[in-house]
């Protein structure tokens, strides 16, 4: 069916977005269903569908394509018409009985009814307005079929499911013989060749499903008041100031069959009770705001394009105030109903995405399920150092211990909201800062080494990500590096561990590579990685204490730590030493830890065959909070 704004050509784009974002859930709600193309598509994908539209003819289509899960049998009507029902076999389909009824309707003799008298040149000859929406023969055929469906319904020869099934078939057939350029807001002065085709009904396709779907014919806000537990809420509202009923008034009349009062050259019916707020930029934004405030969804997708009357800045303002938002776009050719079928300027169809966040969630933009998932105390990763997952590891790998940006992103996403500030006093090659760019946060990093910061900048250029604030300097002198009024929302850092890398290699790595030299972060004496343990711990405490002065109250601090191998004299559980030392900082509390296990590392036979020596593939992320 020709329908303004139909998303038939964008279904793959919408589905791909849902899959890319891994939007979980089973309930898909389409509040502006139109011809139902999106709702039908997601029904086929296995979703439970809730759909609605102000147009009654749209409701008719939804009653069939969305609500019905099997073909109607027409048992009572077939008996009345003395047509033998067809038993289902391997050689027949379950739509066979429906085909018999459709065949019967196609063979009806036309009558001069409402459509003929008001929308054909023969029927309107001599009237104030002569209209040529349909040829005389096709308009009489529409009247005959519509009257017969109504007669069967009132005589209880067909049930509700069968009634809407036949009515949908008629509504789908009418546009193929209508003398219009795309909508019914006007008819063509000259006959389009399609208007001379014979009106022919087809059997509507029934999408099999085990779900029970809900259909509404009302304002979308009222639907949201009646249903709960929507996983994906999809909105495809009108884009311009033209109301939809004038564009499809004849289909509305055929669907309702209510003998309406009509007026004007186009024979328009009244549509006062079917106006959409989205056909005005001001009321549209207010209506969108009301939908968002209902917060009756996990994910909201708004389809809109460059021609839309609502400003993108206004849409994004609403989305950003409500939770985490993103935009995806795809170019396509615009169809203009007055262009004689020619495709014109390309436009960009956009999906504005909003992930719902509880108003009580002051920490981040995560949903409840995402929050719970992060609370797993063990983070297992399989990040490759090659390709896209490597995030330019060929550059970052020049640092002795670069952290994967996608791992750092998980912490940034949990402990901050968009546009908030993350600080890393030991930034290295910028794993934390890259994560900030990926998550739309602002990052500030400090490092002793200009070489590492230069590498970070090269990585940003190669990846095409925003370069955050990177400062060459000593975090011991933080007060000289950061403006006094700086306030950060989260501290995420991976400090150089005392002498872990500044000692010569021994054991398996030396045997495998033949290399025993140390690989310190830098050669500076002030580098924590070159200090003995007690000096290292005191220095780390000093840096974290200075950093915490810039941290907002109730802000979190996450510190990566890797333990050393134990020896005869010490357990060397560095995470314990660091935790105890940092708790000496006033107003800092310990909130727990996560363990990061890098599953890409190889096992080595340490101690074989004489003693147990563990492969330490994990690191601790110790989490603290500034209480006030």
């Amino acid at each position: 069916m020709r329908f303004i704004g139909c998303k038939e050509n964008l279904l793959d784009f919408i589905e791909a977005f849902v899959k890319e974002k891994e939007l979980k859930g089973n309930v898909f709600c389409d509040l502006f269903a139109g011809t139902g193309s999106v709702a039908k598509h997601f029904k086929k994908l296995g979703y439970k569908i809730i759909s609605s539209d102000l147009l009654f003819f749209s409701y008719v289509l939804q009653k069939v394509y969305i609500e019905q899960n099997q073909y109607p049998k027409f048992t009572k009507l077939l008996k009345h018409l003395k047509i033998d029902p067809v038993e289902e076999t391997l050689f027949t389909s379950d739509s066979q009985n429906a085909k018999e009824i459709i065949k019967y309707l196609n063979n009806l003799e036309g009558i001069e009814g409402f459509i003929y008298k008001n929308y054909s040149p023969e029927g309107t000859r001599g009237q104030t307005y002569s209209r040529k929406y349909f040829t005389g023969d096709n308009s009489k055929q529409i009247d005959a079929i519509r009257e017969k469906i109504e007669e069967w319904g009132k005589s209880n020869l067909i049930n509700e499911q069968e009634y809407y099934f036949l009515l949908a078939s008629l509504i789908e057939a009418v546009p193929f013989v209508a003398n219009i350029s795309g909508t019914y807001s006007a008819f063509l002065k000259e006959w389009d060749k399609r208007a001379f085709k014979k009106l022919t009904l087809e059997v509507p396709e029934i999408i099999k499903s085990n779900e029970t779907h809900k259909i509404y014919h009302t304002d979308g806000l009222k639907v949201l008041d009646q249903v709960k537990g929507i996983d994906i809420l999809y909105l495809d509202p009108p884009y311009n100031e033209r109301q939809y009923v004038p564009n499809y008034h004849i289909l509305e009349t055929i669907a309702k069959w209510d003998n309406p009062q009509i007026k004007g050259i186009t024979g328009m019916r009244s549509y006062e009770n079917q106006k959409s707020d989205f056909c005005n930029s001001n009321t549209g934004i207010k209506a969108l705001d009301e939908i968002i405030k209902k917060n009756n969804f996990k994910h909201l997708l708004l389809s809109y394009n460059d021609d839309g009357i609502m400003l993108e800045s206004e849409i994004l303002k609403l989305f950003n105030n409500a939770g985490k938002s993103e935009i995806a776009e795809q170019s396509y050719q615009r169809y203009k109903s007055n262009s004689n079928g020619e495709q014109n300027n390309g436009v960009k169809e956009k999906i504005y995405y909003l992930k719902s966040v509880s108003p009580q969630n002051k920490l981040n933009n995560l949903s409840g399920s995402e929050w719970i998932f992060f609370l797993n105390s063990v983070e297992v990763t399989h990040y490759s150092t090659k390709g896209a997952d490597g995030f330019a590891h060929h550059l970052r790998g020049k640092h002795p211990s670069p952290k994967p940006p996608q791992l750092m992103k998980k912490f940034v996403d949990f402990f901050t909201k968009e546009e908030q500030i993350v600080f890393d006093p030991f930034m290295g090659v910028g794993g934390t800062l890259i994560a900030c760019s990926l998550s739309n946060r602002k990052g500030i990093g400090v490092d002793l080494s200009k070489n590492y910061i230069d590498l970070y900048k090269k990585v940003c250029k190669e990846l095409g990500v925003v370069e955050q604030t990177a400062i060459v300097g000593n975090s011991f002198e933080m007060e000289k590096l950061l403006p006094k009024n700086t306030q950060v929302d989260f501290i995420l850092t991976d400090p150089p561990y005392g002498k872990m890398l500044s000692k010569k290699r021994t054991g398996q790595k030396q045997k495998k590579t033949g290399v025993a030299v140390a690989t310190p972060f830098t050669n500076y004496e002030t580098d924590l990685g070159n200090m003995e343990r007690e000096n290292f711990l005191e220095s780390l405490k000093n840096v974290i204490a200075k950093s915490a002065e810039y941290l907002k109250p109730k802000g979190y601090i996450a510190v990566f730590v890797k333990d050393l191998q134990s020896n005869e004299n010490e357990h060397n559980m560095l995470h314990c030493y660091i935790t105890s030392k940092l708790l000496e900082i006033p107003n800092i509390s310990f909130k727990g830890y996560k363990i990061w296990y890098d599953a890409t590392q190889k096992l080595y036979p340490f101690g074989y065959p004489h003693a147990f020596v563990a492969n330490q593939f994990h690191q601790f992320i110790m989490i603290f909070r500034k209480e006030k």
Side-chain angles (χ1 to χ4, degrees):
M1 176 184 292
R2 290 178 289 175
F3 190 78
I4 294 175
C6 179
K7 293 297 179 287
E8 194 71 37
N9 295 330
L10 295 168
L11 293 175
D12 290 342
F13 172 48
I14 299 168
E15 179 186 347
F17 184 88
V18 170
K19 289 182 177 179
E20 178 188 344
K21 298 302 175 185
E22 298 182 340
L23 306 189
K24 306 298 183 183
N26 183 52
V27 181
F28 185 97
C29 180
D30 185 354
L31 287 190
F32 303 88
T35 58
S37 59
V38 174
K40 285 192 291 185
H41 186 76
F42 280 84
K43 181 183 179 182
K44 291 178 181 178
L45 293 176
Y47 286 84
K48 176 183 177 71
I49 304 298
I50 299 168
S51 65
S52 179
D53 204 285
L54 283 172
L55 295 173
F56 187 71
F57 88 83
S58 170
Y59 175 73
V60 171
L61 298 179
Q62 295 170 67
K63 289 286 287 184
V64 177
Y65 296 123
I66 306 304
E67 190 173 80
Q68 296 186 26
N69 291 329
Q70 60 183 4
Y71 284 94
K73 300 301 181 184
F74 294 101
T75 304
K76 193 173 183 178
L77 181 59
L78 287 170
K79 183 177 180 181
H80 172 76
L81 297 176
K82 298 181 180 180
I83 300 175
D84 292 331
V86 178
E87 293 185 10
E88 291 182 32
T89 69
L90 292 174
F91 306 102
T92 62
S93 67
D94 53 359
S95 63
Q96 196 62 42
N97 287 345
K99 290 179 181 178
E100 294 295 329
I101 301 303
I102 294 296
K103 179 180 178 181
Y104 179 90
L105 290 175
N106 279 329
N107 290 324
L108 286 176
E109 185 176 341
I111 63 174
E112 296 180 0
F114 188 87
I115 300 300
Y116 174 81
K117 294 176 182 178
N118 291 287
Y119 299 108
S120 72
E122 294 91 336
T124 57
R125 186 178 294 121
Q127 298 182 17
T128 304
Y129 300 107
S130 178
R131 306 184 186 102
K132 52 191 303 185
Y133 279 101
F134 306 101
T135 64
D137 287 342
N138 279 331
S139 59
K140 287 190 285 187
Q141 196 70 14
I142 293 171
D143 283 323
I145 293 171
R146 186 63 184 89
E147 281 292 342
K148 184 59 67 175
I149 294 172
E150 201 66 18
E151 175 191 321
W152 288 342
K154 291 178 178 178
S155 301
N156 293 319
L157 290 172
I158 53 177
N159 59 31
E160 181 186 79
Q161 182 189 39
E162 294 164 342
Y163 175 85
Y164 284 113
F165 183 87
L166 298 177
L167 187 49
S169 178
L170 175 59
I171 290 171
E172 289 278 22
V174 166
F176 291 100
V177 296
N179 188 40
I180 58 176
S181 62
T183 74
Y184 300 81
S185 59
F187 51 82
L188 298 175
K189 294 180 180 180
E190 303 297 330
W191 286 107
D192 187 296
K193 60 182 180 181
R194 79 173 68 212
F196 296 109
K197 296 180 180 178
K198 184 180 184 301
L199 178 78
T200 304
L201 273 59
E202 302 287 346
V203 176
E205 176 195 11
I206 293 298
I207 304 167
K208 302 296 179 66
S209 169
N210 294 323
E211 299 284 355
T212 300
H213 311 279
K214 293 289 291 182
I215 309 303
Y216 296 88
H217 173 230
T218 186
D219 178 80
L221 283 172
K222 295 179 180 178
V223 174
L224 295 180
D225 288 332
Q226 298 178 54
V227 299
K228 303 296 179 184
I230 297 171
D231 296 307
I232 300 174
L233 175 60
Y234 176 74
L235 307 179
D236 181 25
Y239 292 178
N240 56 46
E241 295 180 350
R242 182 72 170 173
Q243 294 286 342
Y244 268 60
V245 175
N247 285 325
Y248 300 98
H249 64 98
I250 293 180
L251 294 185
E252 281 292 280
T253 295
I254 293 173
K256 293 183 175 181
W257 210 235
D258 53 356
N259 193 34
Q261 292 292 321
I262 62 175
K263 62 182 180 179
I265 192 170
T266 60
M268 191 77 65
R269 62 181 290 127
S270 174
Y271 58 93
E272 287 302 314
N273 296 324
Q274 290 180 278
K275 289 185 177 181
S276 171
D277 288 337
F278 284 91
C279 291
N280 176 281
S281 58
N282 293 327
T283 58
I285 283 292
K286 291 179 181 178
L288 179 59
D289 187 30
E290 286 298 311
I291 289 173
I292 292 172
K293 286 179 178 177
K294 294 289 182 182
N295 200 30
N296 187 18
F297 55 86
K298 293 180 181 177
H299 308 278
L300 186 152
L301 305 180
L302 168 66
S303 277
Y304 219 60
N305 69 24
D306 294 346
D307 288 339
I309 59 175
M310 292 191 298
L311 296 177
E312 181 171 284
S313 59
E314 294 292 324
I315 295 173
L316 290 178
K317 182 178 179 181
L318 293 181
F319 276 42
N320 290 331
N321 287 339
K324 179 181 179 182
S325 65
E326 293 182 43
I327 304 176
E329 61 182 41
Q330 175 173 300
S331 297
Y332 73 106
Q333 292 296 317
R334 170 172 51 197
Y335 175 79
K336 280 194 171 183
S337 61
N338 62 351
S339 64
N340 296 318
E342 294 179 3
Q343 290 181 324
N344 209 336
N345 305 323
V347 297
K348 289 182 179 178
E349 183 72 24
K350 297 182 179 181
I351 294 177
Y352 295 86
Y353 167 59
L354 169 65
K355 180 165 62 178
S356 176
V357 178
S358 169
Q360 287 74 41
N361 184 357
K362 305 300 182 182
L363 181 59
N364 55 46
N365 292 326
L366 301 183
S367 65
S369 59
E370 290 171 319
W371 183 298
I372 292 172
F373 187 78
F374 183 84
L375 299 183
N376 188 335
S377 62
V378 179
E379 190 75 43
V380 182
T381 66
H382 299 79
Y383 302 133
S384 172
T385 56
K386 299 178 181 179
D389 280 349
F391 283 91
H393 185 79
H394 63 283
L395 293 173
R396 295 188 305 107
K398 294 178 182 179
H399 185 278
S401 181
K403 290 297 180 287
Q406 55 269 62
L407 173 65
M408 309 305 270
K409 182 180 184 298
K410 292 184 178 182
F411 287 85
V412 168
D413 288 346
F414 188 86
F415 288 105
T416 62
K417 291 179 175 287
E418 290 193 12
E419 298 295 332
Q420 289 188 336
I421 301 174
V422 181
F423 179 57
D424 185 349
F426 304 101
M427 65 164 280
V429 287
T432 295
L433 270 58
I434 295 170
C436 290
S437 299
L438 298 175
S439 295
N440 195 27
R441 271 69 165 177
K442 297 175 182 177
I444 302 173
V446 175
D447 202 274
L448 280 171
S449 171
K450 182 179 183 300
N451 290 335
Y452 290 149
I453 290 181
D454 287 343
L455 280 172
Y456 160 71
K457 293 180 178 180
K458 289 182 180 179
V459 169
C460 288
K461 289 181 180 179
E462 181 167 317
L463 297 178
V465 300
V466 174
E467 187 178 303
Q468 304 288 346
T469 302
I471 303 169
V472 179
N474 191 332
S475 289
F476 289 131
E477 302 174 335
M478 201 173 301
E479 64 277 3
K480 298 180 181 179
L481 305 176
L482 300 181
K484 290 183 179 180
N485 61 350
T486 300
Q487 185 182 68
V488 303
D489 300 280
F490 177 44
I491 296 170
L492 175 61
T493 192
D494 177 28
Y497 319 120
K499 292 226 169 182
M500 179 177 285
L501 297 176
S502 61
K503 295 180 179 179
K504 291 183 178 181
R505 294 293 184 265
T506 59
Q508 189 67 29
K509 185 162 186 177
Q510 181 184 10
K511 293 177 183 177
K512 182 179 179 181
T513 64
V515 176
V517 297
T519 56
F521 293 93
T522 71
N523 294 318
Y524 298 120
E525 290 185 5
T526 53
D527 188 333
L528 271 65
N530 297 327
M531 296 179 182
E532 296 293 340
R533 178 182 299 157
E534 291 307 316
N535 194 13
F536 160 77
L537 291 171
E538 194 63 35
S539 297
L540 178 61
K541 170 189 167 183
N542 183 298
V543 171
I544 297 300
K546 285 179 177 290
S547 301
E549 292 178 11
Y550 297 90
L551 182 64
K552 69 180 181 181
K554 301 298 182 182
Y556 286 84
I557 305 167
V559 181
F560 276 73
V561 184
K562 185 173 184 179
D563 287 346
L564 304 174
Q565 287 285 3
S566 61
N567 57 42
E568 294 180 358
N569 301 316
E570 297 178 298
H571 58 71
N572 276 339
M573 289 190 287
L574 191 57
H575 73 282
C576 295
Y577 294 129
I578 288 177
T579 302
S580 298
K581 180 57 68 173
L582 296 189
L583 286 177
E584 295 176 5
I585 302 172
N587 202 31
I588 297 296
S589 64
F590 177 61
K591 309 306 293 184
Y593 61 79
K594 284 174 69 75
I595 295 172
W596 170 41
Y597 166 43
D598 180 3
T600 64
Q601 295 190 57
K602 296 180 180 180
L603 280 166
Y604 291 110
F606 297 141
Y608 179 82
H610 304 294
F612 168 77
V613 179
N615 279 259
Q616 296 199 72
F617 291 162
H618 69 281
Q619 295 188 32
F620 291 89
I621 302 97
M622 316 306 293
I623 299 169
F624 305 84
R625 187 171 70 181
K626 178 180 178 180
E627 295 304 332
K628 58 183 179 179

